[in-house]
């Protein structure tokens, strides 16, 4: 999936927690509010070093970059 488009995620963009807190948390939550949303994964518009799931960037909710999309998720049946 990496290299197609980056994916919007639900978290607002903000700095990572310090390393001690990150070790204790598998999925650290982003800030409660913000101006930019987080995007994960690399896209065709990124450098090769960013073509990985851990790559993280940001974009304003109203922006529509050509290399940013989303993945539909269905839970349960």
């Amino acid at each position: 999936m990496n290299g197609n488009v980056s994916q919007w995620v639900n978290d607002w963009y903000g700095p990572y927690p310090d390393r001690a807190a990150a070790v204790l948390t598998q999925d650290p939550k982003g800030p409660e509010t913000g101006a930019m949303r987080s995007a994960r994964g690399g896209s065709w518009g990124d450098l090769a070093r960013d073509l990985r799931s851990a790559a993280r960037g940001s974009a304003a909710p109203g922006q529509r970059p050509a290399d940013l999309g989303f993945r539909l998720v269905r839970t349960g049946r």
Side-chain angles (χ1 to χ4, degrees):
M1 300 299 295
N2 293 332
N4 188 11
V5 295
S6 298
Q7 297 176 24
W8 287 109
V9 297
N10 195 41
D11 291 340
W12 290 104
Y13 186 79
Y16 279 126
D18 64 41
R19 284 201 179 267
V23 169
L24 300 174
T25 308
Q26 278 188 325
D27 183 15
K29 301 298 178 204
E32 293 292 320
T33 61
M36 305 291 271
R37 288 284 189 182
S38 291
R40 289 280 185 181
S43 74
W44 54 267
D46 291 326
L47 298 172
R49 70 170 184 249
D50 294 325
L51 296 180
R52 57 193 187 97
S53 299
R56 185 174 78 123
S58 65
Q63 289 181 326
R64 292 183 165 177
D67 62 346
L68 182 60
F70 62 93
R71 183 181 303 210
L72 297 174
V73 177
R74 178 180 170 186
T75 60
R77 282 200 156 244

